[in-house]
Amino acid sequence: MFEFFFKYSAYVYDKGEFVLAAGWPAIIATAVLAAIAIPVILRYSSVRGKSSRLDRSVLVTIRLCVLSIILFLLLQPSLAVSTAVPQENFVGIILDDSQSMQLTDYGDERLAPRSDFIHELFGNENSKLMMELNERFKPRFFRFSDSAERLEDLNELSYSGEQTRVGPALDFAHQELAAVPLSGLIIVTDGADNSIDGLSASLQSLRANSIPVFPVGVGMERFNRDIELTSVEAPTTVLAGSQVSADVVIEHKGFSGETVLLLVEGPDGIVGTQEVELPNQGDSTVVKAQFTTTREGPHLYSFRIAVQDDEMVRNNNQRDILIVVQDRQDKVLYVEGEPTNRTGFLRNFAIDDDPNLMLGVFMRMAENKFWRAGFESAEELAAGFPTTREELFQYKALIVGSFEADFFTTDQRQMIHDFVSQRGGSFLMLGGRNAFGEGGWQNTPVAEILPVELVPPFASAIDPFYVDVFVTPTLFGRTHPVTQMADSLELSLQHWQTLPPLGIVNQVGKVKPGAVSVLEGKTVNDETHVVLAYQRFGRGKALAFTPVNQWYWQMAFEIPLEDLTHETLWQQIFRWLVNEVPGQVTASTVVDRFAPGAPVTVTVGVLDDNFIEINNAAVTAIVTSPSGQTRGLELDWTVDTDGEYIATFIPDEEGFHQIHVWAGRDGKALGEDIAHVEIAKLSTEAFAAERRSALLARLAQETGGRLYSPENVASLPDDLRVSEGGTTVLEVKDLWDLPLIFMLLVALVGTEWSYRKVRGLA
Amino acid sequence: MTLKLIPRVAVVPVILFVLAILVDSGMPLSAEQGSQRGWFGRGRRDIMSSSTLPIENIPQAGEFIFLRVRFDEAYTSYGGYEWGLDMGWNHDYPRAEQNITMMLEELTNIPVKIDFRGGNILSFSEPEIFDYPFVYISEPGYWVWNDEEVLRLRNYLLKGGFIMVDDMQSDDTEAFYRIMNQAIPNTQFEILDTTHPIFNCFFQITPEDILNQYYRARYNGTPVIYGVYEDNDPGKRLMVVINHNQDIGESWEFANTGYVPVEQANNSYKIGMNYIICSMLH
């Protein structure tokens, strides 16, 4: 449409510079306009007859407009554009050879594979597009998927690539054609880039060399009917027996209101099922899938929804994630300011037989009289609460019971703060007469990390504060792993309704902004109290649990003897506390599943005993393949980030690879960690496979190119001519014969004639 | 000989009177329903229902409240105890709990409810007893238990409760042994020696230190502390302590009167506080 009115495409106008080819000075043109306009105005204004003042104003305006346009045309308006010299320039045509090009969603009436578009337009020498390109340029073809290469014959395209990596493809074509005059790069793809590469560096390089990219997008921007498991987020490392809650993002098109079954399959079969009602409003929903990990080791957990009728993509209904179930023993320090029944019930029922937790209890039984239990050695905490960071930071979680703030020194209170923010540990404050505000914790560094506001107590010592609250999960808490008490969310919620009330003696304030309430309690008067809340703080997290008698969910008359509410809740809280708490040495990879042949980069963070990053550590790793073959790696400091070391290797086997990392400094071991990756054929091409116009538009915008679809790709050769890339000459394109101008003149003259006719002035 | 002292015409009314007392009092007619110690152990023949006593308990507010267990028992008489009744379970009430709770408040960090009543009183027929993980039972040898109480005693212990049984001599201990075995079959009473944490979790003390003069004088009894473990496994949780030939509560009661030696009073406080604290630590 634009070209119909304006003769050239918008891209040509964008690239060109407007000039008046007549070469008259502007002052002369203005004088000529004035010389014509003034007599016209005077003539019309002096006319007396049937015409009114309004008539004369309308007519003189129309006449002046006509005269102005004619004068403008006499000035010879033109566009000066740099135009590629025919047959002097090259153009790179990069064709997507990935699996997603096999999807059948190209065309209007009868849908065909996306690859058909490539063959119809670029594989046919007689197509108008290729004829024009061949006439003006020297095309060079490339194919790309997970890697890019030159393409001599389009029949070599197999559309079997397991990845779409746009950035490296542009880089490759740019390098291949670096020595020749290059008008631009045409990339034909669905834009479904599923790599971890960034595009910025590639685009910056192209922009710096004035090489525009002309993406041609193919495929539907929105499928008619499809269900996709867009992502699954779950902890990568958990203790054996942990309840895991995975966030599953399900996206659908055309299934509004329908119910589907989400299955979770672990190493021993189905470990969870959940019915999901797909939303009417919006395309995506987030589902919390709950399951329990049992067997030690790295295991794949599959999340899937059965393929429904008429789905456009059938293999995007399943996602696999790698979860490493560890059988380690984590140390938790529990300091309690007074003898209380909850200590015994926690020790005896919650973690008694748990081989993965070591709960060291440090209890003040009386003034200056302490009791210790559960520690590794008789010397551990023999001198009381840790006085050095090194001593405190050996624990993964710290629980503080009814201890007043003044018991701790200023440095110890700061250490508790740093334990969370710097060490990345978990902190839990339990309710009690000396906890929270009642214990004077407000205005201390610990108050900063707590997820609740602390307020000074207003109850008197004679009539202390006490309320019984019936506890239920909040809307957020209903799907949180710690609140799961049954096999399904509904049964779990029903179970919470049956529990007897717990007592609270602390008057805590609101949950802080950024913190989340997981459990809340209601009194018989319907007053709401915080029961369990948490927030991330720095590298770690802090929790607040306000009731004083959680043991009551073990003892209460209403609770059956075989009920496991107390045990389950606290086992899950303990695992929540210790899971994903980092050690001094942490090994990771950017993703945990790689395609065969893809390089695997191991990133290791190294901290000293005070959890401060160190850059002069000796870091080594041993990679063990599924067949037991090992290879050693030396990791180097990245320089960019303190305490970060990397090394890259290319696995030569499929299956699980173990990466065991050690770090030390000055002959002293700092720690070790184990990461796992799986090498397998990935089905990433089936996900997010709709045409990604936003990404393609970015390619064009940032390089000075233009985005095309199959509908408007015909103008590509013309646009490419004025792309300013390669060898160009300056070309002046006339604008005086724009169809729009003639239409405007006809419209003005016609309007004057019609006006005179209507007003009786003709 | 006895009949000669009663006019022949009075024999029938006397027999009827005795039977009426037995029926009205609801006394079990079979040994399986009640204590094995014997209905006439102390010479009285009536049963006092403890549930009719005017007891008003202290409401829970997150603090430690001493709880005494009441029960119907085969022997009840009027006496110099609370409510003017000698019921075994109410021996030393309320001064024993008044004194031990004050000592707990004074010497430990336990948040204790101090009240003129000393503590609360509940029976195993009352569900609220499960609100108290530590309970005190005095002289359960005369306990006339029923199936509901035994079931709740079992649940109480297996859920995590702790019972201190006091003022026991051989007949009482044997009777309580039978109660325990009905609640938890094959229960064993193990002698707790000095190495057990119950003797050093707060105060350092030995069983010999807590000699009770009364038992020594009356029964020449050697004090022994028995324990009942979960699954009869000494490596597991201690659920019950039984003060055999011992009356700790009495020493608490008279600690501030001069009726018991100072050392005996002090030691009874020590072992009592150890029981309470150990029950919290499991």
Side-chain angles (χ1 to χ4, degrees), chain A residues 423-478:
Chain A
R423 186 254 181 272
S426 299
F427 175 75
L428 167 63
M429 182 172 277
L430 301 172
R433 60 177 178 168
N434 289 319
F436 299 106
E438 285 74 5
W441 286 97
Q442 58 271 39
N443 303 320
T444 69
V446 178
E448 196 182 342
I449 63 173
L450 282 173
V452 290
E453 304 280 0
L454 299 188
V455 292
F458 56 79
S460 68
I462 298 169
D463 185 19
F465 177 79
Y466 181 83
V467 287
D468 276 322
V469 293
F470 291 90
V471 180
T472 52
T474 61
L475 197 57
F476 172 85
R478 285 175 196 175

Side-chain angles (χ1 to χ4, degrees), chain B residues 6 22 34 77 89 126 140 149 215 230:
Chain B
I6 304 172
L22 291 174
S77 67
W89 66 261
E126 296 166 282
E149 284 180 312
Y215 272 91
E230 189 177 10

Side-chain angles (χ1 to χ4, degrees), chain A residues 344 364-365 433 552 556 559, chain B residues 107 109 131 159 202 277 280:
Chain A
R364 181 178 60 184
M365 308 180 92
R433 60 177 178 168
Y552 193 53
I559 302 279
Chain B
L107 296 176
N109 263 26
D131 300 359
K159 280 182 170 185
F202 191 68
I277 288 174
M280 294 177 170

Side-chain angles (χ1 to χ4, degrees), chain A residues 120-137:
Chain A
E120 285 171 12
L121 268 76
F122 295 93
N124 181 2
E125 291 289 324
N126 298 319
S127 74
K128 183 169 177 289
L129 181 78
M130 279 311 296
M131 286 172 66
E132 290 182 7
L133 287 174
N134 283 324
E135 184 183 328
R136 300 171 189 175
F137 305 98

Side-chain angles (χ1 to χ4, degrees), chain A residues 194-226:
Chain A
N194 44 33
S195 69
I196 55 173
D197 314 307
L199 279 173
S200 298
S202 304
L203 297 180
Q204 194 174 12
S205 170
L206 290 166
R207 189 168 56 239
N209 291 281
S210 300
I211 298 170
V213 177
F214 297 86
V216 183
V218 59
M220 285 184 175
E221 287 189 287
R222 180 183 165 84
F223 291 138
N224 298 327
R225 198 166 158 81
D226 189 48

Side-chain angles (χ1 to χ4, degrees), chain B:
Chain B
M1 285 295 289
T2 306
L3 287 176
K4 286 182 181 175
L5 297 176
I6 304 172
R8 186 173 293 270
V9 291
V11 170
V12 172
V14 167
I15 293 170
L16 289 174
F17 177 70
V18 170
L19 284 172
I21 291 172
L22 291 174
V23 172
D24 284 347
S25 63
M27 176 180 167
L29 295 177
S30 70
E32 285 75 21
Q33 284 179 274
S35 165
Q36 298 296 303
R37 177 170 173 175
W39 304 119
F40 311 113
R42 289 186 187 174
R44 285 296 303 232
R45 296 162 177 78
D46 55 341
I47 293 176
M48 182 73 192
S49 176
S50 63
S51 60
T52 60
L53 292 174
I55 296 170
E56 188 180 345
N57 281 329
I58 309 161
Q60 289 271 13
E63 296 161 306
F64 175 81
I65 299 177
F66 191 94
L67 187 98
R68 179 183 288 263
V69 177
R70 66 180 171 184
F71 45 81
D72 289 344
E73 64 170 38
Y75 164 76
T76 301
S77 67
Y78 297 105
Y81 299 95
E82 190 72 6
W83 305 288
L85 296 169
D86 176 2
M87 295 181 286
W89 66 261
N90 73 340
H91 284 191
D92 315 322
Y93 178 85
R95 289 186 299 276
E97 32 266 80
Q98 288 168 347
N99 290 341
I100 186 67
T101 52
M102 277 194 290
M103 295 304 286
L104 276 174
E105 169 75 4
E106 192 68 27
L107 296 176
T108 75
N109 263 26
I110 299 173
V112 182
K113 183 65 183 176
I114 301 295
D115 189 272
F116 70 92
R117 287 162 281 193
N120 287 347
I121 298 173
L122 288 167
S123 74
F124 274 97
S125 298
E126 296 166 282
E128 294 79 16
I129 200 167
F130 287 83
D131 300 359
Y132 302 81
F134 174 92
V135 298
Y136 173 86
I137 304 181
S138 173
E139 291 194 40
Y142 292 94
W143 185 352
V144 182
W145 72 87
N146 58 43
D147 289 345
E148 182 188 49
E149 284 180 312
V150 170
L151 177 62
R152 289 183 179 176
L153 172 67
R154 169 190 173 80
N155 286 349
Y156 177 87
L157 291 172
L158 295 182
K159 280 182 170 185
F162 183 93
I163 300 177
M164 170 183 173
V165 185
D166 197 26
D167 198 359
M168 305 285 275
Q169 45 100 0
S170 57
D171 289 352
D172 296 300
T173 304
E174 287 171 22
F176 186 68
Y177 181 83
R178 282 188 282 273
I179 297 174
M180 282 297 301
N181 267 277
Q182 187 165 339
I184 305 173
N186 303 318
T187 292
Q188 302 296 318
F189 284 11
E190 303 281 348
I191 295 175
L192 304 181
D193 65 22
T194 316
T195 61
H196 195 276
I198 205 89
F199 298 111
N200 53 46
C201 68
F202 191 68
F203 288 110
Q204 292 282 346
I205 195 166
T206 66
E208 293 75 28
D209 292 336
I210 44 178
L211 189 67
N212 184 284
Q213 301 293 343
Y214 172 78
Y215 272 91
R216 170 56 61 92
R218 179 165 177 178
Y219 302 113
N220 194 26
T222 302
V224 176
I225 296 179
Y226 292 108
V228 176
Y229 293 101
E230 189 177 10
D231 298 333
N232 292 322
D233 181 354
K236 291 190 173 179
R237 180 171 56 92
L238 183 65
M239 302 189 295
V240 184
V241 288
I242 300 130
N243 296 329
H244 178 72
N245 283 340
Q246 186 59 270
D247 191 352
I248 304 287
E250 185 177 74
S251 298
W252 295 345
E253 180 187 16
F254 295 119
N256 56 352
T257 63
Y259 292 164
V260 294
V262 171
E263 189 178 359
Q264 180 182 323
N266 284 349
N267 289 339
S268 69
Y269 280 140
K270 288 179 181 176
I271 191 68
M273 283 191 270
N274 273 15
Y275 287 164
I276 292 167
I277 288 174
C278 266
S279 77
M280 294 177 170
L281 306 178
H282 286 203

